[in-house]
């Protein structure tokens, strides 16, 4: 059974640029959530995708957007990057039969 | 609204001593509660979860937590600390509605002194 994999592991972008982060969910999991973890903080919920539709969103602006594909993998897109977007971005997958989330190792985004 | 408060951003214990990490929750509905551990430069690993079954929950690596509704607490304990337990620990509560997303505390960094 494969876990959640995220790519890339590290990324450096310039303010104003756009970035795409990728996530492959654990086998058998059809729900993917994204979290932002700023340095020294707990993760904060960005949004969740279920069956390719957004199924809930946290307090993040529209420049944070996402996609889920038929194989349940997912992308997080962030437009017009700001310095405060620098954080660890975590992807988590789940399924109706498993209450809880399996997290990936994250993508460390640095905006300069 | 759901939230958790972790008392103590840093906790230090001696190797072999009791580990106690505190978590209090606020929830408008009976909660689902979780403890996750995060090692440096890694993602989150689930230690244990409470989903309204037994109030004493046993997890991995010898950790356990007790759900106490009257105290709105879900403290994490381990009888004897090991050097490998040094990490950041996060308590989280689920809203159990819609996206069932997790609300995390700010974390407690555990240091184990040899």
């Amino acid at each position: 059974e494969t876990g959640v994999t995220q790519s890339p592991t590290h990324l450096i972008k310039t303010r104003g640029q756009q970035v795409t982060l990728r996530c492959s969910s654990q086998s058998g999991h059809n729900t993917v959530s994204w979290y932002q973890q700023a340095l020294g903080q707990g993760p904060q919920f960005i949004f969740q995708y279920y069956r390719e539709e957004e199924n809930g969103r946290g307090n993040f602006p529209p420049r944070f957007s996402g996609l889920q594909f038929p194989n349940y993998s997912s992308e997080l897109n962030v437009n017009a990057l700001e310095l405060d977007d620098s954080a660890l971005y975590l992807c988590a997958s789940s399924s109706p039969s498993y209450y809880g989330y399996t997290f990936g190792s994250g993508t460390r985004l640095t905006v300069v | 609204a759901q939230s958790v408060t972790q008392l103590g951003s840093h906790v230090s214990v001696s190797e072999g001593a009791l580990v106690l990490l505190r978590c209090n929750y606020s929830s408008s509905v009976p909660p689902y509660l979780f403890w996750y551990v995060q090692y440096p430069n890694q993602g989150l690993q689930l230690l244990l979860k409470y989903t309204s079954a037994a109030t004493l929950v046993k997890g991995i690596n010898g950790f356990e937590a007790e759900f106490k509704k009257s105290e709105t607490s879900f403290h994490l304990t381990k009888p004897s600390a090991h050097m490998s337990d040094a990490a950041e620990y996060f308590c989280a509560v689920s809203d159990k509605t819609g996206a069932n997303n997790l609300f995390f505390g700010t974390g407690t960094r555990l240091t184990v002194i040899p």
Side-chain angles (χ1 to χ4, degrees), chain A residues 5 29 38 41 48 52 76 83 96-97 108-109:
Chain A
T5 58
H29 286 186
Q41 300 295 317
Q48 181 185 89
E52 303 177 54
L76 165 65
L83 297 179
S97 61
R108 173 74 63 187
L109 173 65

Side-chain angles (χ1 to χ4, degrees), chain B residues 33-97:
Chain B
L33 294 159
F34 304 80
W35 276 100
Y36 283 88
V37 61
Q38 186 175 37
Y39 297 99
N41 301 314
Q42 293 191 23
L44 301 174
Q45 181 182 9
L46 179 66
L47 281 175
L48 48 81
K49 60 184 178 183
Y50 167 76
T51 56
S52 71
T55 57
L56 181 62
V57 181
K58 295 187 182 298
I60 63 172
N61 301 338
F63 284 95
E64 63 181 38
E66 186 173 6
F67 172 71
K68 292 186 176 181
K69 183 178 179 180
S70 61
E71 299 177 8
T72 61
S73 69
F74 190 58
H75 302 330
L76 181 71
T77 60
K78 181 174 180 178
S80 177
H82 191 273
M83 295 299 293
S84 61
D85 295 327
E88 188 90 21
Y89 291 80
F90 292 95
C91 181
V93 62
S94 168
D95 66 357
K96 295 171 62 178
T97 61

Side-chain angles (χ1 to χ4, degrees), chain A residues 35 37 40-43 45 48 55-56 88 90 98-101 103-105 108, chain B residues 32 34 36 38 42-44 46 49 51 90 94 98-102 104-106:
Chain A
Y35 288 80
Q37 186 180 15
Q41 300 295 317
F45 175 68
Q48 181 185 89
N55 186 42
L88 180 67
L90 295 164
Y98 172 74
Y99 201 85
Y101 291 90
F103 281 81
S105 297
R108 173 74 63 187
Chain B
Y32 287 173
F34 304 80
Y36 283 88
Q38 186 175 37
Q42 293 191 23
L44 301 174
L46 179 66
K49 60 184 178 183
T51 56
F90 292 95
S94 168
N100 283 324
N101 57 288
L102 299 175
F104 285 88
T106 52

Side-chain angles (χ1 to χ4, degrees), chain A residues 42-62:
Chain A
Q44 292 196 353
F45 175 68
I46 302 175
F47 45 58
Q48 181 185 89
Y49 277 83
Y50 173 65
R51 292 184 176 180
E52 303 177 54
E53 297 285 335
E54 188 176 291
N55 186 42
R57 189 178 184 91
N59 189 27
F60 281 81

